[in-house]
Amino acid sequence: MSHKERSLFSKLVGSLIFLLLPVLILSVYSHSINEKVITRQIKQSSIGQLSTLAAQMDNIFMQLETFSRVLLRDPNVIEFQDMSLLNYSDYEQISRKKIIQDKLYLQVASTDWTQEVTVYSPRTGQTISTARGKTYDPVRLEKLSEGSWNFPSADDGAGNAPQLSLVTVEPYEAEADMPKANSIVEISFDRNNIVRMLNTFEAQGSGDVLFYKPNAASLASSACPPELLAEAISALGTARLSPQGDITLAAGGISYLLTYSEVASLQGYVVNIVPLSDILTPLRTTNRFSYLVYALLLIVGIAVAWVLYRNVQVPLRELVKGVQKIKMGQYKSRIPLKVNNEFRLIISRFNEMADEIQRLIENVLEQKLHAREAELKQLQSQINPHFLYNSLSYIISMTKLERKDAVLEMAYHLSDYYRYSTRVQNQQVKLGEELKNAADYLSIHRLRMNRIRYEIHVDKDMLELKVPRLILQPIVENALIHGIEALEDIGTITLTGRRADGACSLSVEDNGGKMTAESLNRLNLLLASPLDERSESCGLVNVHRRLRLRYGAESGLRLSINAESGLRAELYWREEEEPH
């Protein structure tokens, strides 16, 4: 297939997608809106009915809770707290208990729910109840005293339906220790009261109804299938419920909408289960043909996307990777991708460009290395002959004075110094060797001038570092000749070395006391200017350039004035990374 044919094919496919895309979007949007409208109406209707049911249940429980609090403050109940301890006759005690019991029966008769009300006196252990067999059991009451209705988790072993209970204590602080309470009121009723209420609601609406409380036995209307109840409880248990809302459930091949509303008094929810499949089936049937069209459009889109990816995206990605590698210095990288479209020419030209860049870089680096090596050897050869003449004159003088020990010491230091300085084979040496050479140089001058002193304080972990040869001696020579040689008092040169986080610093200081801000500015200008062999600070410029050549533009020589108005020259560089 030629390039023009492929381009025409791409245009045709693009035009087809462009024409069908609005139709596809509008169809999908219309179907979605229809389903959302119907579902929203069902949700709103169901939630509204459930809210009414939840409000009715909350109203009943609030009335019961209010009655229990009012009952605790009733004068007869307060008197009942210590009735057996007072000097009442038996008749008077029976009469007062009868008054309380009449109030309890009146409360029971005021609602349609079957309930039991019991008043306990912890001090005397006496009980007044609308149910028979109620006795004061502090252990049982303490388990029920949670400040809310105690919803049972399952039926008891006898097959009786457990009751819901509310225990109210006066004072409130005595809930954790029942014997310290003044009075206790317990209101309980059978769960069948809630079931009857759910049955009444189901008869007026649609779908099945249940009451759900986490970690407790759920209640459902009589017509609710047990399998559907189990599925609904499982779905509710895994969902994060808000005060009102809905979730969807698929059970037995049927989709259900579960709407719920919170019953705050019981910390549970009334739930309505409405099947959605029967309602939405007619609408979904009319859309099946549209879904087939959508599937065909999707297949076409995937095929076109794959063609574009293989012929456009992949070559572009490889080109970007190649550019990034060249940017990171990987000049040997090439693009191996083989394509049969317009990108073939671009990739071929890119590889040719990378070849040319690699050749140019290698040539430049080779020339730079040759130039650097020649410059280092030339700088190394710059040794002051007057130093040798003065040292030999000292040996002659000491020989005439028959100072054999001085002659030997000078000869040893001088031979070590020149052996190290004139060796050109190895241009990288250990820093410890550089420090030894500087010490030899200073020891030679100290023999000639007793007023010269030097100190070396360098971290031990720096002694094995590799540095350029003769990088320290010119700095020491400059400090000696221009710093302390003209002093009449004792002159001291201090060498200090530090290393931290790959950064190395080696400073040379003197106590010459003659360095001024003007002189320091002149020296800094010399460091920034081209090398001038006639300059009196040629050694400083040499060292500065050698450091920058070896370690990069961020390395070099820093000059400053120390506390004794002497010059402080700091050599700084970062360690070179080991090749992998």
Side-chain angles (χ1 to χ4, degrees), residues 101 142 179 271 280 328 378 391 405 411 468 474 488:
Q101 195 166 28
E142 190 169 340
V271 183
L280 299 178
M328 293 186 294
Q378 185 272 334
S391 301
D405 54 344
E488 297 181 358

Side-chain angles (χ1 to χ4, degrees), residues 323-578:
V323 172
Q324 292 294 337
K325 289 181 179 179
I326 294 295
K327 181 180 179 182
M328 293 186 294
Q330 301 177 15
Y331 302 108
K332 295 183 179 180
S333 63
R334 301 293 183 269
I335 299 177
L337 183 65
K338 303 297 182 182
V339 294
N340 296 318
N341 53 30
E342 292 85 351
F343 284 96
R344 178 178 58 184
L345 178 62
I346 299 175
I347 293 175
S348 175
R349 293 295 181 265
F350 177 87
N351 290 334
E352 294 175 3
M353 179 191 67
D355 290 335
E356 187 66 24
I357 291 175
Q358 182 181 358
R359 285 195 295 270
L360 292 174
I361 293 297
E362 290 176 351
N363 291 336
V364 171
L365 288 177
E366 185 177 359
Q367 294 176 7
K368 188 174 181 181
L369 290 175
H370 287 316
R372 181 184 299 181
E373 183 178 355
E375 183 178 11
L376 291 179
K377 291 183 178 180
Q378 185 272 334
L379 292 173
Q380 182 179 350
S381 65
Q382 293 181 358
I383 300 176
N384 189 352
H386 297 289
F387 172 71
L388 178 60
Y389 300 154
N390 293 335
S391 301
L392 293 176
S393 297
Y394 175 82
I395 293 176
I396 294 172
S397 299
M398 292 298 102
T399 303
K400 291 179 180 180
L401 296 175
E402 297 182 353
R403 293 277 305 278
K404 181 180 178 179
D405 54 344
V407 172
L408 289 175
E409 186 176 358
M410 173 62 78
Y412 286 143
H413 287 303
L414 193 62
S415 65
D416 289 343
Y417 173 76
Y418 275 103
R419 183 184 301 111
Y420 180 83
S421 299
T422 57
R423 186 178 300 167
V424 297
Q425 290 81 4
N426 188 6
Q427 294 299 323
Q428 289 291 107
V429 297
K430 296 180 180 179
L431 181 59
E433 298 177 11
E434 272 291 294
L435 293 172
K436 170 66 169 55
N437 182 65
D440 288 333
Y441 179 79
L442 290 172
S443 297
I444 292 171
H445 282 281
R446 186 179 61 183
L447 290 172
R448 295 177 52 243
M449 295 178 286
N450 291 331
R451 58 185 177 78
I452 294 177
R453 303 286 185 271
Y454 68 89
E455 300 176 0
I456 299 178
H457 307 287
V458 179
D459 294 344
K460 292 183 179 180
D461 60 350
M462 294 183 63
L463 300 181
E464 298 296 322
L465 291 178
K466 293 290 186 178
V467 297
R469 182 184 291 273
L470 293 179
I471 202 70
L472 185 59
Q473 188 272 339
I475 308 299
V476 174
E477 180 181 355
N478 183 80
L480 182 66
I481 294 176
H482 302 289
I484 65 175
E485 192 173 47
L487 282 178
E488 297 181 358
D489 297 330
I490 294 177
T492 303
I493 295 179
T494 305
L495 284 77
T496 306
R498 296 289 183 269
R499 177 187 186 189
D501 298 330
C504 302
S505 171
L506 189 64
S507 62
V508 179
E509 300 184 54
D510 63 73
N511 63 339
K514 298 184 296 182
M515 182 56 59
T516 62
E518 292 78 9
S519 299
L520 181 64
N521 290 334
R522 186 172 63 255
L523 290 176
N524 284 324
L525 290 175
L526 285 174
L527 292 182
S529 63
L531 179 62
D532 183 2
E533 295 184 359
R534 296 173 296 175
S535 173
E536 64 177 7
S537 300
C538 176
L540 296 179
V541 180
N542 285 340
V543 172
H544 181 66
R545 293 188 63 192
R546 292 176 66 189
L547 286 172
R548 290 170 68 87
L549 283 173
R550 173 62 61 181
Y551 298 105
E554 296 183 356
S555 304
L557 195 62
R558 293 172 178 168
L559 303 178
S560 59
I561 302 176
N562 61 17
E564 299 177 349
S565 297
L567 179 65
R568 181 178 187 270
E570 178 189 3
L571 296 81
Y572 64 97
W573 69 94
R574 295 195 68 83
E575 299 178 53
E576 294 179 306
E577 295 183 358
E578 294 292 337

Side-chain angles (χ1 to χ4, degrees), residues 59-83:
N59 185 42
I60 294 174
F61 291 119
M62 288 179 61
Q63 290 179 1
L64 295 177
E65 292 176 12
T66 303
F67 172 73
S68 65
R69 296 190 186 97
V70 172
L71 190 61
L72 286 173
R73 292 171 175 79
D74 188 272
N76 299 111
V77 174
I78 295 174
E79 186 181 40
F80 176 66
Q81 297 173 4
D82 302 311
M83 184 174 294

